[in-house]
Amino acid sequence: MNVDVKGPEILFEIPVLGGIGVSETIVNSWIIMAVIALVCFFLGRNLKVKNPSKRQLVAEKAVTMITNLVTDVMGEKNAGWAPYIGTLLIFSAVSSLSSLTGLRPPTADLATTLGWALVTFVMVQVTNIRCHGVSGWLKGFTQPIFVMTPLNIISEVANPISMAFRHFGNIASGLVITSLVYAALAALSSLVLGWIPVIGQIPFLQVGLPALLSIYFDLFTSVLQAYIFSMLTMVFVSGAQD
Amino acid sequence: MERAIVMAASAIGAGLAMIAGIGPGIGQGFAAGKGAEAVGRQPEAKGDITTTMLLGCAVAESTGIYGLVVALILLFANPFIGQL
Amino acid sequence: MGKYLDFVSIPPDVWSLIFTWCNLLILFLLVKKFLFKPVQNILKQRDAEVREMYEKAEEAEKNAKSLEAEYSERLGGAKEEAGRIMQEATRSARERGDEIVGEAQAKAAGLISRAEAQIEREREAAVGELRAQVADMAVAIAEKVIEKEIDPSDHARLVEDFMSSEVEKR
């Protein structure tokens, strides 16, 4: 039996600059973005000050929870970060959870998580420069003594890499294990039911069983990793402020 | 022949890389034990303790995840085969 | 079967990275526009409304308190006024009563003294008359007893002596 864990498939190419390959990751994240945007649009429509509907209560609860999370971690003055952190949290969680519907989760591609982590990295550096000035930012690398400079730079660069690999590794391991389980179940069903002429070609055992694994590898890990990614973003950004 | 050797070495390397899973396993077990202790001592702070413990576990997990990523690279995106 | 990207490639596919950034930016703007902005606006409006309500309530309370103070002040004034009026009335009534009583007493005293004077006068008149009669009677009795004319002047003197001794004895 041949287990083949492939990367994201290139679904089509945009014929400019020698062909920009648009991979499954990107298309899936567009689908997820559309879903999130629609849900947000649905939730944020027709808001009223008095007698809010249930839909509005959900929207308010979500916004208040995210804002509270941000102000708890970053302090009251950073409440303006709530939309970005909320976007990151929702996008990451829904992306990882999309594997439940059979899509290839965008977060199982290193490009996605590394992209987000690099955004966090740039934000941290920009925040640092904005709060301490360019000289203060550069001086920060020579703390506590000058000899530590290379180590400081490495530790600063290691942050986004570690964030990206952590998120990617958790989701990709789930993907790999799910593929392995699917392949194993296909092999098992062809072994058990293969003697039946037509029906034997359908891998019946793939129905149901992988769902149990999904509960741990997709539900729990997805939500936890989304939380941790946004938590670390908040911690790094607010750490750069002081 | 060379390709076979590289692939075999990569498979062994991937297996060895997963030894990194020991560390986070011990660490997370320790963290979970301490978390249970803390909940036992202070049951009213269960929510905070659980959140903190999960966050710490997930961060401690990263070394194991690095090992996993190395193993995945060796298995599915082997950089050495291309250099033959 | 189409082409596949590597499962893991370091560095990752550059175009995927660029698409990821664009996606994140677009989703951030969408979420902010469709969810956060309206909800935060609503929350702010509600906050403002609640604050306004509180301010109104506070103002009303202040008004009520000042009104209450005014009323209680007025009430106190009224009570004082009433007390003053009452006192005044009581005092004037007492004065009037005293006056009346005094007048009545004076009148009564006048009446009494006049009556006493009249009584005295009448008594004196009665005593004088009685005395005269008694003297006459005594003279007549004595005449009859001694059968002898007494000199009227002696007689008068005798009676007088007797009467005054009698009166004194009484």
Side-chain angles (χ1 to χ4, degrees), chain A residues 5-10 13 20 26 29-30 33 40-41 44 47-50 56 60 84 87 91 111-112 114-115 119 168 176, chain C residues 2-8 10 12 15-17 19-21 23-24 26-28 30-31 34 36 38-39 42 45-46 49:
Chain A
V5 180
K6 295 196 184 84
E9 185 181 357
I10 293 180
E13 291 199 351
I20 300 169
I26 305 303
S29 53
W30 285 342
M33 280 164 65
C40 286
F41 180 68
L47 297 182
K48 284 168 288 184
V49 175
K50 276 172 189 162
Q56 187 183 343
E60 280 176 15
Y84 176 70
T87 308
F91 198 8
T112 309
L114 191 64
V119 171
F168 162 74
V176 169
Chain C
K3 282 193 284 180
Y4 284 92
L5 293 173
D6 286 338
F7 188 78
V8 192
I10 298 170
W15 287 113
S16 295
L17 214 55
F19 274 122
T20 302
W21 287 329
N23 286 348
L24 188 61
I26 290 166
L27 188 66
F28 167 61
L30 286 176
V31 169
F34 285 137
F36 273 81
V39 172
I42 286 290
Q45 275 177 35
R46 192 173 297 157
E49 210 158 89

Short mmCIF file of all heavy atoms in Angstrom, two decimals, chain A residues 5-10 13 20 26 29-30 33 40-41 44 47-50 56 60 84 87 91 111-112 114-115 119 168 176, chain C residues 2-8 10 12 15-17 19-21 23-24 26-28 30-31 34 36 38-39 42 45-46 49:
data_model
loop_
_atom_site.label_atom_id
_atom_site.label_comp_id
_atom_site.label_asym_id
_atom_site.label_seq_id
_atom_site.Cartn_x
_atom_site.Cartn_y
_atom_site.Cartn_z
N VAL A 5 1.24 11.41 1.23
CA VAL A 5 0.80 12.66 1.83
C VAL A 5 1.37 13.79 0.98
O VAL A 5 2.57 14.01 0.95
CB VAL A 5 1.27 12.79 3.28
CG1 VAL A 5 0.79 14.10 3.86
CG2 VAL A 5 0.76 11.64 4.10
N LYS A 6 0.46 14.44 0.26
CA LYS A 6 0.92 15.45 -0.70
C LYS A 6 0.76 16.83 -0.11
O LYS A 6 0.04 17.07 0.86
CB LYS A 6 0.09 15.35 -1.97
CG LYS A 6 0.26 14.04 -2.72
CD LYS A 6 -0.29 14.22 -4.13
CE LYS A 6 -0.23 12.91 -4.88
NZ LYS A 6 -1.41 12.07 -4.56
N GLY A 7 1.45 17.76 -0.71
CA GLY A 7 1.26 19.17 -0.38
C GLY A 7 -0.01 19.67 -1.02
O GLY A 7 -0.75 18.90 -1.63
N PRO A 8 -0.30 20.97 -0.89
CA PRO A 8 -1.50 21.51 -1.52
C PRO A 8 -1.41 21.44 -3.04
O PRO A 8 -0.36 21.71 -3.62
CB PRO A 8 -1.53 22.96 -1.03
CG PRO A 8 -0.16 23.26 -0.58
CD PRO A 8 0.43 21.97 -0.12
N GLU A 9 -2.53 21.05 -3.64
CA GLU A 9 -2.56 20.94 -5.08
C GLU A 9 -2.67 22.34 -5.69
O GLU A 9 -3.36 23.21 -5.14
CB GLU A 9 -3.78 20.11 -5.48
CG GLU A 9 -3.86 19.82 -6.96
CD GLU A 9 -5.10 19.01 -7.30
OE1 GLU A 9 -5.84 18.67 -6.37
OE2 GLU A 9 -5.30 18.75 -8.49
N ILE A 10 -1.99 22.52 -6.83
CA ILE A 10 -2.14 23.79 -7.55
C ILE A 10 -3.37 23.67 -8.43
O ILE A 10 -3.41 22.86 -9.36
CB ILE A 10 -0.89 24.12 -8.35
CG1 ILE A 10 0.27 24.40 -7.38
CG2 ILE A 10 -1.13 25.33 -9.24
CD1 ILE A 10 1.54 24.74 -8.05
N GLU A 13 -3.64 28.34 -12.60
CA GLU A 13 -2.55 29.31 -12.66
C GLU A 13 -3.05 30.61 -13.25
O GLU A 13 -3.85 30.61 -14.19
CB GLU A 13 -1.40 28.76 -13.51
CG GLU A 13 -0.69 27.58 -12.86
CD GLU A 13 0.68 27.36 -13.47
OE1 GLU A 13 0.99 28.00 -14.49
OE2 GLU A 13 1.44 26.54 -12.92
N ILE A 20 1.30 32.41 -12.04
CA ILE A 20 1.23 32.36 -10.58
C ILE A 20 0.34 31.18 -10.21
O ILE A 20 -0.85 31.16 -10.54
CB ILE A 20 0.64 33.66 -10.02
CG1 ILE A 20 1.51 34.85 -10.42
CG2 ILE A 20 0.50 33.59 -8.52
CD1 ILE A 20 0.88 36.18 -10.14
N ILE A 26 -4.89 28.51 -0.94
CA ILE A 26 -5.40 29.86 -1.18
C ILE A 26 -6.89 29.81 -1.49
O ILE A 26 -7.68 30.61 -0.93
CB ILE A 26 -4.62 30.50 -2.34
CG1 ILE A 26 -3.13 30.48 -2.06
CG2 ILE A 26 -5.09 31.92 -2.57
CD1 ILE A 26 -2.73 31.14 -0.80
N SER A 29 -8.77 29.14 1.60
CA SER A 29 -8.87 30.29 2.50
C SER A 29 -9.80 31.34 1.94
O SER A 29 -10.44 32.07 2.70
CB SER A 29 -7.50 30.87 2.85
OG SER A 29 -6.78 31.14 1.71
N TRP A 30 -9.94 31.40 0.61
CA TRP A 30 -10.94 32.31 0.07
C TRP A 30 -12.35 31.87 0.46
O TRP A 30 -13.19 32.69 0.84
CB TRP A 30 -10.84 32.37 -1.47
CG TRP A 30 -9.67 33.16 -1.95
CD1 TRP A 30 -8.96 34.06 -1.22
CD2 TRP A 30 -9.07 33.11 -3.23
NE1 TRP A 30 -7.95 34.58 -1.98
CE2 TRP A 30 -7.99 34.02 -3.23
CE3 TRP A 30 -9.33 32.39 -4.41
CZ2 TRP A 30 -7.17 34.21 -4.34
CZ3 TRP A 30 -8.53 32.61 -5.52
CH2 TRP A 30 -7.46 33.50 -5.48
N MET A 33 -12.78 32.73 4.04
CA MET A 33 -12.96 34.18 4.18
C MET A 33 -14.38 34.59 3.80
O MET A 33 -15.01 35.41 4.48
CB MET A 33 -11.98 34.93 3.28
CG MET A 33 -10.60 35.04 3.83
SD MET A 33 -9.46 35.49 2.54
CE MET A 33 -10.05 37.11 2.14
N CYS A 40 -20.15 37.53 9.46
CA CYS A 40 -19.99 38.84 10.09
C CYS A 40 -21.03 39.82 9.57
O CYS A 40 -21.63 40.58 10.32
CB CYS A 40 -18.60 39.39 9.81
SG CYS A 40 -17.33 38.58 10.74
N PHE A 41 -21.25 39.76 8.24
CA PHE A 41 -22.23 40.66 7.64
C PHE A 41 -23.61 40.38 8.20
O PHE A 41 -24.37 41.29 8.55
CB PHE A 41 -22.22 40.48 6.13
CG PHE A 41 -23.18 41.36 5.41
CD1 PHE A 41 -22.99 42.73 5.37
CD2 PHE A 41 -24.29 40.83 4.79
CE1 PHE A 41 -23.88 43.54 4.72
CE2 PHE A 41 -25.19 41.63 4.14
CZ PHE A 41 -25.00 42.99 4.10
N GLY A 44 -23.69 41.52 11.87
CA GLY A 44 -23.56 42.96 12.13
C GLY A 44 -24.61 43.80 11.44
O GLY A 44 -24.47 45.00 11.37
N LEU A 47 -28.40 46.49 13.51
CA LEU A 47 -28.21 46.53 14.96
C LEU A 47 -29.07 47.64 15.55
O LEU A 47 -29.28 48.68 14.94
CB LEU A 47 -26.74 46.79 15.28
CG LEU A 47 -25.79 45.71 14.79
CD1 LEU A 47 -24.38 46.05 15.20
CD2 LEU A 47 -26.16 44.36 15.35
N LYS A 48 -29.58 47.36 16.74
CA LYS A 48 -30.43 48.34 17.41
C LYS A 48 -29.89 48.60 18.81
O LYS A 48 -29.30 47.71 19.43
CB LYS A 48 -31.87 47.83 17.51
CG LYS A 48 -32.62 47.91 16.20
CD LYS A 48 -33.92 47.15 16.27
CE LYS A 48 -33.65 45.68 16.27
NZ LYS A 48 -34.78 44.83 16.24
N VAL A 49 -30.15 49.81 19.28
CA VAL A 49 -29.67 50.14 20.63
C VAL A 49 -30.57 49.50 21.66
O VAL A 49 -30.13 48.98 22.68
CB VAL A 49 -29.63 51.67 20.82
CG1 VAL A 49 -29.26 52.00 22.24
CG2 VAL A 49 -28.62 52.27 19.88
N LYS A 50 -31.89 49.52 21.37
CA LYS A 50 -32.82 48.95 22.34
C LYS A 50 -33.40 47.65 21.79
O LYS A 50 -33.55 47.49 20.59
CB LYS A 50 -33.95 49.94 22.62
CG LYS A 50 -33.55 50.96 23.67
CD LYS A 50 -34.58 52.04 23.80
CE LYS A 50 -34.03 53.14 24.68
NZ LYS A 50 -34.79 54.37 24.52
N GLN A 56 -28.10 39.79 17.33
CA GLN A 56 -27.28 40.91 17.78
C GLN A 56 -26.58 40.58 19.09
O GLN A 56 -25.44 40.98 19.32
CB GLN A 56 -28.14 42.15 17.94
CG GLN A 56 -27.31 43.38 18.25
CD GLN A 56 -28.16 44.60 18.47
OE1 GLN A 56 -29.32 44.60 18.10
NE2 GLN A 56 -27.60 45.62 19.07
N GLU A 60 -22.71 40.91 19.79
CA GLU A 60 -22.18 41.73 20.88
C GLU A 60 -21.33 40.89 21.82
O GLU A 60 -20.28 41.33 22.29
CB GLU A 60 -23.33 42.37 21.66
CG GLU A 60 -23.88 43.58 20.97
CD GLU A 60 -25.07 44.15 21.70
OE1 GLU A 60 -25.27 43.78 22.88
OE2 GLU A 60 -25.79 44.95 21.10
N TYR A 84 -8.00 43.21 14.89
CA TYR A 84 -6.98 42.36 14.26
C TYR A 84 -6.87 41.02 14.98
O TYR A 84 -6.85 39.96 14.35
CB TYR A 84 -5.62 43.06 14.25
CG TYR A 84 -4.54 42.17 13.69
CD1 TYR A 84 -4.53 41.86 12.34
CD2 TYR A 84 -3.59 41.57 14.50
CE1 TYR A 84 -3.59 41.00 11.81
CE2 TYR A 84 -2.65 40.72 13.99
CZ TYR A 84 -2.66 40.44 12.63
OH TYR A 84 -1.74 39.57 12.12
N THR A 87 -9.80 38.92 14.17
CA THR A 87 -9.70 38.36 12.82
C THR A 87 -8.77 37.16 12.82
O THR A 87 -9.10 36.10 12.26
CB THR A 87 -9.14 39.42 11.86
OG1 THR A 87 -9.92 40.59 11.98
CG2 THR A 87 -9.18 38.93 10.44
N PHE A 91 -10.10 33.55 11.95
CA PHE A 91 -9.58 33.00 10.71
C PHE A 91 -8.82 31.71 10.99
O PHE A 91 -9.04 30.68 10.32
CB PHE A 91 -8.66 34.04 10.07
CG PHE A 91 -8.36 33.82 8.61
CD1 PHE A 91 -9.03 32.83 7.88
CD2 PHE A 91 -7.44 34.60 7.95
CE1 PHE A 91 -8.76 32.64 6.54
CE2 PHE A 91 -7.17 34.41 6.60
CZ PHE A 91 -7.83 33.43 5.90
N ALA A 111 3.06 28.17 4.37
CA ALA A 111 3.00 29.53 3.84
C ALA A 111 2.01 30.36 4.63
O ALA A 111 2.27 31.53 4.95
CB ALA A 111 2.60 29.50 2.37
N THR A 112 0.86 29.78 4.98
CA THR A 112 -0.16 30.53 5.70
C THR A 112 0.33 30.92 7.09
O THR A 112 0.33 32.11 7.45
CB THR A 112 -1.42 29.68 5.84
OG1 THR A 112 -1.76 29.18 4.56
CG2 THR A 112 -2.54 30.48 6.42
N LEU A 114 3.34 30.86 8.36
CA LEU A 114 4.53 31.70 8.35
C LEU A 114 4.16 33.12 7.93
O LEU A 114 4.70 34.10 8.47
CB LEU A 114 5.58 31.13 7.40
CG LEU A 114 6.96 31.80 7.52
CD1 LEU A 114 7.55 31.55 8.89
CD2 LEU A 114 7.91 31.27 6.47
N GLY A 115 3.21 33.25 7.02
CA GLY A 115 2.75 34.58 6.63
C GLY A 115 2.20 35.32 7.83
O GLY A 115 2.59 36.47 8.10
N VAL A 119 3.71 38.64 9.82
CA VAL A 119 2.92 39.86 10.09
C VAL A 119 3.09 40.25 11.56
O VAL A 119 3.35 41.42 11.89
CB VAL A 119 1.44 39.64 9.74
CG1 VAL A 119 0.61 40.82 10.24
CG2 VAL A 119 1.27 39.49 8.25
N PHE A 168 1.64 25.29 12.30
CA PHE A 168 1.67 24.40 11.14
C PHE A 168 1.79 22.95 11.57
O PHE A 168 1.05 22.08 11.09
CB PHE A 168 2.84 24.80 10.24
CG PHE A 168 3.24 23.74 9.27
CD1 PHE A 168 2.46 23.46 8.16
CD2 PHE A 168 4.40 23.00 9.46
CE1 PHE A 168 2.81 22.47 7.28
CE2 PHE A 168 4.75 22.01 8.57
CZ PHE A 168 3.96 21.74 7.48
N VAL A 176 -1.77 14.64 8.52
CA VAL A 176 -1.01 13.43 8.16
C VAL A 176 -1.66 12.21 8.79
O VAL A 176 -1.88 11.18 8.13
CB VAL A 176 0.45 13.57 8.63
CG1 VAL A 176 1.16 12.25 8.52
CG2 VAL A 176 1.17 14.62 7.82
N GLY C 2 -3.28 17.24 -11.03
CA GLY C 2 -2.54 18.47 -11.27
C GLY C 2 -1.20 18.45 -10.58
O GLY C 2 -0.75 17.43 -10.06
N LYS C 3 -0.58 19.61 -10.58
CA LYS C 3 0.70 19.70 -9.90
C LYS C 3 0.46 19.89 -8.40
O LYS C 3 -0.56 20.41 -7.97
CB LYS C 3 1.48 20.90 -10.44
CG LYS C 3 2.12 20.64 -11.79
CD LYS C 3 3.11 21.73 -12.10
CE LYS C 3 2.38 22.98 -12.54
NZ LYS C 3 3.33 24.08 -12.85
N TYR C 4 1.44 19.47 -7.62
CA TYR C 4 1.34 19.64 -6.17
C TYR C 4 2.51 20.46 -5.69
O TYR C 4 3.62 20.36 -6.21
CB TYR C 4 1.34 18.29 -5.46
CG TYR C 4 0.04 17.56 -5.56
CD1 TYR C 4 -0.20 16.66 -6.59
CD2 TYR C 4 -0.96 17.77 -4.62
CE1 TYR C 4 -1.41 16.01 -6.67
CE2 TYR C 4 -2.16 17.12 -4.70
CZ TYR C 4 -2.39 16.23 -5.73
OH TYR C 4 -3.57 15.58 -5.82
N LEU C 5 2.26 21.27 -4.69
CA LEU C 5 3.38 21.89 -3.99
C LEU C 5 3.94 20.89 -3.01
O LEU C 5 3.32 19.87 -2.70
CB LEU C 5 2.90 23.14 -3.23
CG LEU C 5 2.44 24.32 -4.07
CD1 LEU C 5 1.84 25.39 -3.17
CD2 LEU C 5 3.61 24.90 -4.85
N ASP C 6 5.14 21.18 -2.50
CA ASP C 6 5.71 20.29 -1.49
C ASP C 6 4.88 20.35 -0.22
O ASP C 6 4.25 21.37 0.08
CB ASP C 6 7.15 20.72 -1.16
CG ASP C 6 8.09 20.35 -2.29
OD1 ASP C 6 7.72 19.44 -3.06
OD2 ASP C 6 9.16 20.99 -2.40
N PHE C 7 4.89 19.25 0.52
CA PHE C 7 4.16 19.26 1.80
C PHE C 7 4.74 20.31 2.73
O PHE C 7 4.03 21.09 3.35
CB PHE C 7 4.24 17.88 2.43
CG PHE C 7 3.38 17.75 3.65
CD1 PHE C 7 2.02 17.56 3.51
CD2 PHE C 7 3.92 17.83 4.91
CE1 PHE C 7 1.22 17.45 4.61
CE2 PHE C 7 3.11 17.72 6.02
CZ PHE C 7 1.76 17.53 5.86
N VAL C 8 6.07 20.31 2.85
CA VAL C 8 6.75 21.37 3.58
C VAL C 8 7.89 21.84 2.72
O VAL C 8 8.66 21.02 2.23
CB VAL C 8 7.36 20.88 4.91
CG1 VAL C 8 7.78 22.05 5.75
CG2 VAL C 8 6.44 19.96 5.64
N ILE C 10 10.95 24.87 2.64
CA ILE C 10 11.54 26.03 3.31
C ILE C 10 12.52 26.65 2.33
O ILE C 10 13.47 25.99 1.93
CB ILE C 10 12.26 25.61 4.60
CG1 ILE C 10 11.23 25.00 5.56
CG2 ILE C 10 12.93 26.80 5.24
CD1 ILE C 10 11.85 24.35 6.75
N PRO C 12 8.81 28.79 2.07
CA PRO C 12 7.56 28.40 1.43
C PRO C 12 7.33 29.13 0.12
O PRO C 12 8.07 30.06 -0.22
CB PRO C 12 6.50 28.77 2.47
CG PRO C 12 7.14 29.74 3.35
CD PRO C 12 8.60 29.55 3.29
N TRP C 15 4.36 32.99 -3.71
CA TRP C 15 3.05 33.51 -4.10
C TRP C 15 2.00 33.15 -3.04
O TRP C 15 1.11 33.95 -2.75
CB TRP C 15 2.65 32.99 -5.47
CG TRP C 15 3.44 33.65 -6.54
CD1 TRP C 15 4.37 33.08 -7.36
CD2 TRP C 15 3.40 35.03 -6.89
NE1 TRP C 15 4.92 34.00 -8.19
CE2 TRP C 15 4.35 35.22 -7.93
CE3 TRP C 15 2.69 36.13 -6.44
CZ2 TRP C 15 4.57 36.46 -8.52
CZ3 TRP C 15 2.92 37.36 -7.03
CH2 TRP C 15 3.85 37.53 -8.06
N SER C 16 2.13 31.96 -2.47
CA SER C 16 1.20 31.60 -1.40
C SER C 16 1.33 32.56 -0.23
O SER C 16 0.34 32.99 0.36
CB SER C 16 1.49 30.18 -0.89
OG SER C 16 1.23 29.25 -1.90
N LEU C 17 2.59 32.91 0.06
CA LEU C 17 2.84 33.84 1.16
C LEU C 17 2.17 35.18 0.87
O LEU C 17 1.48 35.76 1.73
CB LEU C 17 4.35 34.02 1.29
CG LEU C 17 4.93 34.24 2.67
CD1 LEU C 17 4.50 33.13 3.59
CD2 LEU C 17 6.44 34.28 2.58
N PHE C 19 -0.30 35.80 -1.19
CA PHE C 19 -1.75 35.64 -1.14
C PHE C 19 -2.24 35.61 0.31
O PHE C 19 -3.28 36.18 0.65
CB PHE C 19 -2.18 34.34 -1.84
CG PHE C 19 -2.38 34.49 -3.30
CD1 PHE C 19 -1.67 33.73 -4.21
CD2 PHE C 19 -3.31 35.41 -3.79
CE1 PHE C 19 -1.86 33.87 -5.57
CE2 PHE C 19 -3.50 35.55 -5.16
CZ PHE C 19 -2.77 34.78 -6.05
N THR C 20 -1.46 34.94 1.17
CA THR C 20 -1.84 34.88 2.58
C THR C 20 -1.92 36.26 3.20
O THR C 20 -2.90 36.59 3.89
CB THR C 20 -0.82 34.03 3.35
OG1 THR C 20 -0.77 32.76 2.78
CG2 THR C 20 -1.20 33.94 4.80
N TRP C 21 -0.92 37.09 2.89
CA TRP C 21 -0.94 38.45 3.46
C TRP C 21 -2.16 39.21 2.97
O TRP C 21 -2.86 39.88 3.74
CB TRP C 21 0.35 39.18 3.10
CG TRP C 21 1.52 38.68 3.87
CD1 TRP C 21 1.51 38.18 5.12
CD2 TRP C 21 2.88 38.63 3.43
NE1 TRP C 21 2.77 37.81 5.50
CE2 TRP C 21 3.64 38.08 4.47
CE3 TRP C 21 3.54 38.99 2.26
CZ2 TRP C 21 5.01 37.89 4.40
CZ3 TRP C 21 4.92 38.80 2.18
CH2 TRP C 21 5.63 38.25 3.24
N ASN C 23 -4.95 38.00 1.85
CA ASN C 23 -6.16 37.42 2.45
C ASN C 23 -6.37 37.95 3.86
O ASN C 23 -7.48 38.34 4.23
CB ASN C 23 -6.04 35.90 2.53
CG ASN C 23 -6.21 35.27 1.17
OD1 ASN C 23 -6.63 35.94 0.23
ND2 ASN C 23 -5.87 34.00 1.06
N LEU C 24 -5.28 37.95 4.65
CA LEU C 24 -5.39 38.39 6.03
C LEU C 24 -5.83 39.85 6.09
O LEU C 24 -6.73 40.21 6.86
CB LEU C 24 -4.05 38.21 6.74
CG LEU C 24 -4.06 38.47 8.24
CD1 LEU C 24 -5.00 37.50 8.92
CD2 LEU C 24 -2.68 38.32 8.82
N ILE C 26 -7.46 41.57 3.77
CA ILE C 26 -8.84 41.74 3.30
C ILE C 26 -9.82 41.26 4.38
O ILE C 26 -10.81 41.94 4.70
CB ILE C 26 -9.04 40.95 1.99
CG1 ILE C 26 -8.27 41.62 0.86
CG2 ILE C 26 -10.52 40.89 1.63
CD1 ILE C 26 -8.14 40.76 -0.36
N LEU C 27 -9.52 40.10 4.97
CA LEU C 27 -10.44 39.59 5.99
C LEU C 27 -10.48 40.52 7.20
O LEU C 27 -11.55 40.75 7.78
CB LEU C 27 -10.01 38.18 6.43
CG LEU C 27 -11.04 37.53 7.34
CD1 LEU C 27 -12.32 37.27 6.56
CD2 LEU C 27 -10.54 36.25 7.92
N PHE C 28 -9.30 41.06 7.55
CA PHE C 28 -9.27 42.02 8.67
C PHE C 28 -10.19 43.20 8.39
O PHE C 28 -11.01 43.58 9.23
CB PHE C 28 -7.82 42.48 8.87
CG PHE C 28 -7.68 43.68 9.76
CD1 PHE C 28 -8.11 43.64 11.08
CD2 PHE C 28 -7.13 44.85 9.28
CE1 PHE C 28 -7.96 44.74 11.89
CE2 PHE C 28 -6.99 45.95 10.08
CZ PHE C 28 -7.42 45.90 11.39
N LEU C 30 -12.69 43.34 6.30
CA LEU C 30 -14.10 42.92 6.24
C LEU C 30 -14.67 42.74 7.64
O LEU C 30 -15.76 43.23 7.95
CB LEU C 30 -14.22 41.60 5.46
CG LEU C 30 -14.06 41.69 3.95
CD1 LEU C 30 -14.10 40.30 3.34
CD2 LEU C 30 -15.16 42.54 3.35
N VAL C 31 -13.90 42.02 8.48
CA VAL C 31 -14.40 41.76 9.84
C VAL C 31 -14.57 43.07 10.59
O VAL C 31 -15.57 43.30 11.28
CB VAL C 31 -13.44 40.81 10.59
CG1 VAL C 31 -13.80 40.75 12.06
CG2 VAL C 31 -13.52 39.42 10.00
N PHE C 34 -17.67 44.90 8.99
CA PHE C 34 -19.00 44.30 9.12
C PHE C 34 -19.35 43.92 10.54
O PHE C 34 -20.51 43.83 10.88
CB PHE C 34 -19.11 43.06 8.23
CG PHE C 34 -19.25 43.40 6.78
CD1 PHE C 34 -18.55 42.70 5.82
CD2 PHE C 34 -20.09 44.42 6.39
CE1 PHE C 34 -18.68 43.02 4.49
CE2 PHE C 34 -20.22 44.75 5.06
CZ PHE C 34 -19.52 44.05 4.11
N PHE C 36 -17.00 44.52 13.78
CA PHE C 36 -16.52 45.28 14.94
C PHE C 36 -17.04 46.71 14.96
O PHE C 36 -17.51 47.19 15.97
CB PHE C 36 -14.98 45.26 14.97
CG PHE C 36 -14.44 44.08 15.68
CD1 PHE C 36 -14.34 42.85 15.05
CD2 PHE C 36 -14.07 44.16 17.01
CE1 PHE C 36 -13.86 41.76 15.71
CE2 PHE C 36 -13.59 43.06 17.68
CZ PHE C 36 -13.48 41.86 17.03
N PRO C 38 -19.79 48.20 13.53
CA PRO C 38 -21.20 48.40 13.92
C PRO C 38 -21.46 48.04 15.38
O PRO C 38 -22.15 48.79 16.09
CB PRO C 38 -21.97 47.45 13.00
CG PRO C 38 -21.04 46.95 11.99
CD PRO C 38 -19.67 47.24 12.42
N VAL C 39 -20.89 46.91 15.79
CA VAL C 39 -21.18 46.48 17.17
C VAL C 39 -20.58 47.47 18.17
O VAL C 39 -21.23 47.85 19.16
CB VAL C 39 -20.65 45.06 17.41
CG1 VAL C 39 -20.76 44.69 18.87
CG2 VAL C 39 -21.41 44.07 16.58
N ILE C 42 -22.74 50.47 18.30
CA ILE C 42 -23.96 50.23 19.08
C ILE C 42 -23.63 50.26 20.57
O ILE C 42 -24.35 50.88 21.37
CB ILE C 42 -24.58 48.88 18.68
CG1 ILE C 42 -25.24 49.00 17.32
CG2 ILE C 42 -25.57 48.39 19.71
CD1 ILE C 42 -26.47 49.83 17.30
N GLN C 45 -23.11 53.76 21.61
CA GLN C 45 -24.37 54.48 21.70
C GLN C 45 -25.12 54.11 22.97
O GLN C 45 -25.69 54.95 23.66
CB GLN C 45 -25.25 54.16 20.50
CG GLN C 45 -24.95 55.02 19.28
CD GLN C 45 -25.81 54.59 18.11
OE1 GLN C 45 -26.95 54.20 18.30
NE2 GLN C 45 -25.26 54.66 16.92
N ARG C 46 -25.11 52.78 23.23
CA ARG C 46 -25.83 52.33 24.42
C ARG C 46 -25.20 52.92 25.68
O ARG C 46 -25.88 53.37 26.59
CB ARG C 46 -25.81 50.81 24.48
CG ARG C 46 -26.76 50.27 25.50
CD ARG C 46 -26.86 48.79 25.43
NE ARG C 46 -27.39 48.34 24.16
CZ ARG C 46 -27.19 47.14 23.66
NH1 ARG C 46 -26.47 46.28 24.31
NH2 ARG C 46 -27.72 46.78 22.51
N GLU C 49 -26.22 56.40 25.97
CA GLU C 49 -27.61 56.51 26.40
C GLU C 49 -27.72 56.25 27.91
O GLU C 49 -28.42 56.97 28.63
CB GLU C 49 -28.44 55.48 25.65
CG GLU C 49 -29.85 55.92 25.44
CD GLU C 49 -30.47 55.17 24.28
OE1 GLU C 49 -31.02 54.10 24.54
OE2 GLU C 49 -30.37 55.64 23.14
#
